[in-house]
């Protein structure tokens, strides 16, 4: 069953703690993305990766970090430098090409304790 | 720079009536345009896209969208709404022939279809 798997579904962060959100895809897609969703603000791009071992900052990269060591995996770390991390985080992937649609995971809700 | 505006936070329509969810865009060139739908606590699902050609694009679940270059709009439409269409709808734009560019999303429009 092909798709994108995000885990965990719910995550809680203590102050000063780094947390990592997992994103795995078995669609053989080259490109992967992380978006943050806040109520009334739509989706904002955090980081994206077009190919293994390469990634670029999106519009709101501060306080976040990523890695792309494998084609299938694109984990996102929310660092302690991100002062307002409570949000719904969405991972997506696509094939190469400017007109290709994105496939989304089911999301991770991150909350601060 | 590219941007998308969805002027309505919420659209209310009765089941069986036609629906329209509005979207306008701004890009410095020809656009690729997309509509996605999000059900509660889920990821986004692709509905349809405009690349080139016919201005009326047909997509999933009976939805369609009309590209209007002169008005820089890409409104989502459906002839007869269903209660199950109630969800959050996002318009998105990407610049054509830009090498590699990312999607820019609007803020979303909540569609509520009443029985």
């Amino acid at each position: 069953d092909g798709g994108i798997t995000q885990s965990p579904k719910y995550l809680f962060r203590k102050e000063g703690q780094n947390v990592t959100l997992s994103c795995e895809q078995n669609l053989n897609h080259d490109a992967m993305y992380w978006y943050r969703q806040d109520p009334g603000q739509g989706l904002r791009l955090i980081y994206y990766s077009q190919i293994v071992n390469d990634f670029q900052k999106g519009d709101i990269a501060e306080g976040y970090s990523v890695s792309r060591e494998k084609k299938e995996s694109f984990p996102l770390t929310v660092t302690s430098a991100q002062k307002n991390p409570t949000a719904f985080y969405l991972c997506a992937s696509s094939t190469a090409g400017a007109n290709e649609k994105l496939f989304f995971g089911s999301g991770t809700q991150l909350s601060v304790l | 720079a590219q941007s998308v505006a969805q002027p309505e936070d919420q659209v209310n329509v009765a089941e069986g009536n036609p629906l329209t969810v509005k979207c306008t865009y701004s890009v410095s060139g020809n656009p690729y345009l997309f509509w996605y739908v999000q059900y509660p606590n889920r990821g986004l699902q692709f509905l349809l896209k405009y690349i080139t050609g016919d201005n009326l694009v047909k997509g999933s679940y009976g939805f369609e969208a009309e590209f209007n270059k002169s008005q820089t709009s890409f409104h989502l439409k459906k002839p007869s709404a269903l209660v199950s269409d109630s969800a959050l709808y996002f318009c998105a734009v990407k610049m054509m022939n830009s090498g590699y560019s990312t999607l820019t999303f609007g803020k979303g429009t909540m569609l509520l279809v009443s029985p």
Side-chain angles (χ1 to χ4, degrees):
Chain A
D1 198 18
I4 300 180
T5 301
Q6 289 188 242
S7 62
K9 191 171 179 64
Y10 300 98
L11 186 59
F12 297 90
R13 192 191 89 166
K14 296 179 181 179
E15 193 171 338
Q17 184 182 41
N18 293 352
V19 292
T20 298
L21 284 61
S22 171
C23 179
E24 303 277 334
Q25 55 100 357
N26 61 4
L27 299 169
N28 199 33
H29 286 168
D30 289 310
M32 296 187 75
Y33 313 79
W34 274 105
Y35 287 91
R36 170 177 170 143
Q37 184 177 15
D38 296 279
Q41 294 195 47
L43 274 69
R44 293 181 289 169
L45 183 64
I46 305 172
Y47 269 98
Y48 63 102
S49 168
Q50 302 174 48
I51 197 168
V52 175
N53 292 322
D54 186 48
F55 50 83
Q56 289 78 39
K57 293 181 179 180
D59 301 319
I60 55 165
E62 186 175 352
Y64 300 96
S65 65
V66 293
S67 62
R68 187 85 187 277
E69 297 177 0
K70 299 186 300 181
K71 187 175 185 178
E72 302 79 17
S73 179
F74 191 41
L76 173 74
T77 296
V78 184
T79 75
S80 57
Q82 173 49 248
K83 298 306 180 186
N84 184 23
T86 297
F88 191 55
Y89 290 86
L90 287 163
C91 180
S93 70
S94 72
T95 58
N99 65 349
E100 293 302 321
K101 65 183 182 184
L102 268 61
F103 291 78
F104 284 84
S106 295
T108 294
Q109 175 64 50
L110 175 62
S111 302
V112 177
L113 287 176
Chain B
Q2 55 196 42
S3 65
V4 174
Q6 294 182 242
E8 303 154 316
D9 291 334
Q10 183 168 309
V11 170
N12 297 302
V13 64
E15 188 173 35
N17 284 357
L19 69 88
T20 299
V21 183
K22 295 180 180 177
C23 171
T24 59
Y25 66 90
S26 174
V27 296
S28 54
N30 292 317
Y32 292 134
L33 292 158
F34 300 78
W35 276 101
Y36 287 82
V37 60
Q38 184 181 32
Y39 297 98
N41 299 314
R42 301 298 303 275
L44 278 65
Q45 297 176 32
F46 171 79
L47 278 179
L48 50 81
K49 66 180 178 182
Y50 171 81
I51 304 301
T52 188
D54 194 346
N55 289 342
L56 186 63
V57 179
K58 293 189 183 297
S60 306
Y61 313 120
F63 283 93
E64 58 189 27
E66 186 169 11
F67 172 65
N68 188 317
K69 188 171 184 177
S70 63
Q71 297 184 5
T72 61
S73 68
F74 189 56
H75 300 333
L76 181 70
K77 300 181 180 184
K78 187 174 182 181
S80 179
L82 299 172
V83 173
S84 58
D85 292 330
S86 298
L88 186 57
Y89 291 80
F90 290 96
C91 182
V93 66
K94 182 185 289 189
M95 199 164 64
M96 191 185 296
N97 298 327
S98 60
Y100 189 89
S101 69
T102 57
L103 272 179
T104 298
F105 285 86
K107 293 185 177 183
T109 298
M110 178 63 72
L111 173 66
L112 293 177
V113 182
S114 56

Coordinates of all heavy atoms in Angstrom, one line a residue, chain A residues 23 33 37 40 44 49 63 82 90 101 103 113:
Chain A
C23 N 8.9 11.1 8.8 CA 8.2 11.1 7.5 C 8.9 10.1 6.6 O 10.1 10.2 6.3 CB 8.2 12.5 6.9 SG 7.3 12.5 5.3
Y33 N 8.8 17.5 1.3 CA 8.6 18.8 1.8 C 8.0 18.7 3.3 O 7.4 17.7 3.6 CB 7.5 19.5 1.0 CG 7.6 19.4 -0.5 CD1 7.3 18.3 -1.2 CD2 8.1 20.5 -1.2 CE1 7.5 18.3 -2.6 CE2 8.3 20.5 -2.5 CZ 7.9 19.4 -3.2 OH 8.1 19.3 -4.6
Q37 N 1.1 24.0 9.6 CA -0.3 24.5 9.4 C -0.8 25.1 10.7 O -0.8 24.4 11.8 CB -1.2 23.4 8.9 CG -2.6 23.9 8.7 CD -3.6 22.9 8.1 OE1 -3.3 21.7 8.2 NE2 -4.7 23.3 7.6
G40 N -6.1 29.4 10.3 CA -6.3 30.6 9.6 C -5.1 31.1 8.9 O -5.2 32.2 8.3
R44 N 2.5 26.8 5.5 CA 3.8 27.5 5.3 C 4.9 26.5 5.2 O 5.0 25.6 6.0 CB 4.0 28.5 6.4 CG 3.0 29.7 6.4 CD 3.3 30.6 7.5 NE 3.0 30.1 8.8 CZ 3.4 30.7 10.0 NH1 4.1 31.8 10.0 NH2 3.1 30.1 11.1
S49 N 13.3 19.2 0.0 CA 14.5 18.5 -0.5 C 14.1 17.9 -1.9 O 13.1 17.3 -2.1 CB 14.8 17.3 0.4 OG 15.8 16.4 -0.2
G63 N 14.6 27.7 13.6 CA 14.1 26.8 14.7 C 13.9 25.4 14.3 O 13.5 24.6 15.2
Q82 N 12.9 27.1 18.4 CA 11.6 27.4 17.9 C 10.7 27.7 19.1 O 10.2 26.8 19.8 CB 11.0 26.2 17.1 CG 9.6 26.3 16.6 CD 9.3 27.6 15.9 OE1 8.5 28.4 16.5 NE2 9.9 27.8 14.8
L90 N 2.8 18.9 8.4 CA 2.5 18.0 7.3 C 3.7 17.8 6.4 O 4.4 18.7 6.1 CB 1.4 18.7 6.4 CG 0.0 18.7 7.0 CD1 -0.9 19.7 6.3 CD2 -0.6 17.3 6.9
K101 N 1.7 17.0 -8.8 CA 1.0 17.2 -7.5 C 1.7 16.6 -6.3 O 2.6 15.8 -6.5 CB -0.4 16.5 -7.7 CG -0.3 15.0 -7.8 CD -1.7 14.4 -8.0 CE -1.7 12.9 -8.0 NZ -3.0 12.3 -8.3
F103 N 1.7 14.6 -2.7 CA 1.0 13.6 -1.9 C 1.3 13.9 -0.4 O 2.5 14.1 -0.1 CB 1.5 12.2 -2.3 CG 1.1 11.8 -3.6 CD1 1.7 12.3 -4.7 CD2 0.0 10.9 -3.8 CE1 1.4 11.9 -6.0 CE2 -0.3 10.5 -5.1 CZ 0.3 11.0 -6.2
L113 N 4.1 21.2 26.4 CA 3.7 21.0 27.7 C 3.9 22.2 28.6 O 4.9 22.9 28.5 CB 4.4 19.7 28.3 CG 3.9 18.4 27.7 CD1 4.8 17.3 28.3 CD2 2.5 18.1 28.0

